[in-house]
Amino acid sequence: MKAMHPLKGVGVVGGVARGKAMVSATGIAFNLGVDETTGIVIEAGHELERQCIAGRVLVFPGGKGSSAGSFSLLQLASRGLAPCAIVNVQTDAVVAAGAVLAKVPLVHRLVVDPLTEIHDGDLIEVNGDDGTVTLVGAV
Amino acid sequence: MRLSIEQQALLAGKQGWAVQWAMEMLHAVGKACNADRLIPVSSSHLVLDPFAMGESGTNIVVRLAESGARFAVPSTINAISYDRCGKTSSEPSEHDRYQRTMLDACVAMGALASCSCNPFIQGIWPTFNESVAWSESATAPFVNSVIGARTNREGATAFASALTGLTPRYGMHLDRARQGQCLFEIDATVKGLDGYNLLGALVARRSSGRIPVLTGMARPELHEMIGFGASAAIVSNLTLFHMIGVTPEAATLNDVFPRGAPAAERITQADLDAERTRLSGRKNSAVALVSIGSPHASLAELQDIVSRLNGRLVHDNVSFLVTSNHSVTGLASAAGIMDALAASGVTVTADKMCFGCDLGARKYTRDTTMVTNSVKLAVLAPGSRGVNVLVRDTATCVEAAVSGECRT
């Protein structure tokens, strides 16, 4: 992401959060795909396997797997292990409901592809109220 | 996503915290899924999964009840973590305590403690074209496809719909989202619950997220349609299928493909045999576990097991477990079926989910072979119970229980 000006998208869950990006080109199943007690991705073969999502701006295409995933996101949040914000290409009901429960700002449908424009470790600010994503500092 | 003046007031908290909590979720999901507005639902089916919900999910459900909230529409409950037949062998686990607390809270809010992943065999059905909000992935394909009612795959959102009687209008609630997207010609004789389970898994995988239409089939029995949908839902996100001449929105190909049908993909007996091999572990003649009832077994299935056992005893080395619900076990008791199963040494549990919880007193390992007619169990049990699973027809399951062996 070269531009410093905010990228416009659609805000789904409000709030503002800033953190380091963690980017996955694969969907994430919060139920059974992430350990609720550690925040570590446990899905076998997933590109984020063994990485901890706590406090990161999690950038991924959208949710997958069980619809129980919304409550898994709440469990992560109650232990301080949820991502600080979520950026999806196209989000879905399970991630959206989970982000409401976990009070995690969520933006999707950016004007650019977040999977290529945002890189692991970029410092990102997500504003769920006006639906924007801003690069604060590149890696 | 437009909210009426009244709905905006609910979102602002006019009717209290619980309804506001629900409206925030419905509003976000509506925006996420491009819904234009909220529409009424006439019922809700709630999954109280103590593993996914944990302490924090339990606390929210309790807080909803303590705030004085009441469900706005009839709401039923999915299978739970413990047996309500009263024969609990061990101390309740932490998850059982969460389960009991959530169940009590939901009953206080007006839910019916039906406690089954198979409400259809309890007489709990929506009607044709009715919009509902049902969670438990296995229920959505049956609600949409076999009944022709309408639900998306709900999760936490089912609570929001129960509290408000509303759901965002997207997905399965839209006519245009219910047309067929790929076509399968069934060139095989599909038989029994295991046969329809294997077909469901195969069709779901080959559909890759599209809505499948099946042609060339004989009419399945009720429990076979339930098994087909549950099996498809455990290997994919499938929420709707059509069977030409069988399901209500698909009298003809033209009904589901108004702009013309695509070329059909054939499914042969060899494909079904390959699917059985794919979903089964290694062949191992010594059987320690036979499990039937995922989704919960119907009265007809219990009757079938009794007739196949014909008074014979389950082998000493085998646990034969059947999971069902109180609607079925109550009728089965009155009909003498429960006594016959007990006399043969079959364990029947009521209301309990079939995996992820206690399968009995014995310890199981990778060397433990389980035989089942359920693809859902074949997918889940190796991970949750660490056992080796074989998918077989009901007759083979019963013979394996009696002989302690499975040679086919």
Side-chain angles (χ1 to χ4, degrees), chain B residues 9-160:
Chain B
L10 300 180
L11 184 60
K14 185 189 163 200
Q15 218 181 81
W17 169 76
V19 170
Q20 183 177 29
W21 176 87
M23 287 299 288
E24 280 174 3
M25 212 186 310
L26 297 176
H27 189 229
V29 169
K31 278 195 283 184
C33 301
N34 251 346
D36 59 347
R37 60 191 159 94
L38 298 173
I39 54 169
V41 292
S42 47
S43 68
S44 173
H45 183 71
L46 306 170
V47 173
L48 306 178
D49 180 341
F51 302 94
M53 295 172 76
E55 188 182 11
S56 44
T58 304
N59 288 343
I60 282 211
V61 177
V62 168
R63 216 180 130 200
L64 289 171
E66 285 177 348
S67 78
R70 292 296 172 265
F71 292 140
V73 291
S75 300
T76 46
I77 306 287
N78 207 54
I80 56 175
S81 66
Y82 54 88
D83 179 18
R84 290 200 302 174
C85 263
K87 289 170 291 193
T88 35
S89 50
S90 50
E91 278 289 294
S93 68
E94 183 185 41
H95 287 106
D96 290 343
R97 287 195 299 274
Y98 292 152
Q99 183 74 85
R100 201 176 296 268
T101 303
M102 286 194 284
L103 187 57
D104 289 348
C106 284
V107 169
M109 287 188 278
L112 175 67
S114 51
C115 301
S116 183
C117 52
N118 193 346
F120 314 113
I121 56 172
Q122 300 180 294
I124 298 168
W125 292 51
T127 59
F128 185 72
N129 261 344
E130 192 175 19
S131 279
V132 298
W134 281 36
S135 54
E136 164 60 58
S137 62
T139 65
F142 190 89
V143 165
N144 285 303
S145 317
V146 181
I147 302 174
R150 299 174 171 217
T151 185
N152 288 310
R153 263 170 93 111
E154 305 290 344
T157 44
F159 286 88

Side-chain angles (χ1 to χ4, degrees), chain A residues 19-136:
Chain A
K20 282 193 168 171
M22 179 179 276
V23 184
S24 166
T26 319
I28 293 177
F30 285 100
N31 184 45
L32 306 177
V34 180
D35 183 337
E36 297 104 348
T37 62
T38 61
I40 292 171
V41 175
I42 50 172
E43 181 183 330
H46 196 281
E47 60 187 282
L48 297 183
E49 192 181 357
R50 290 189 288 278
Q51 296 196 52
C52 180
I53 63 173
R56 306 295 289 265
V57 174
L58 202 53
V59 184
F60 59 103
K64 66 172 187 178
S66 164
S67 55
S70 308
F71 282 114
S72 304
L73 204 46
L74 170 66
Q75 281 206 61
L76 286 169
S78 72
R79 297 186 175 99
L81 297 171
C84 71
I86 293 175
V87 178
N88 280 160
V89 175
Q90 165 66 53
T91 197
D92 63 280
V94 175
V95 174
V100 172
L101 291 174
K103 299 187 165 50
V104 172
L106 167 61
V107 171
H108 76 155
R109 288 195 212 127
L110 290 183
V111 288
V112 295
D113 180 1
L115 302 179
T116 54
E117 292 293 312
I118 302 174
H119 302 102
D120 263 332
D122 284 350
L123 186 60
I124 300 288
E125 185 170 286
V126 177
N127 185 327
D129 298 318
D130 66 11
T132 58
V133 174
T134 310
L135 176 72
V136 180

Side-chain angles (χ1 to χ4, degrees), chain B residues 314-331:
Chain B
V314 170
H315 195 278
D316 282 345
N317 298 343
V318 178
S319 297
F320 189 171
L321 303 175
V322 179
T323 35
S324 188
N325 57 51
H326 259 103
S327 309
V328 168
T329 57
L331 259 175

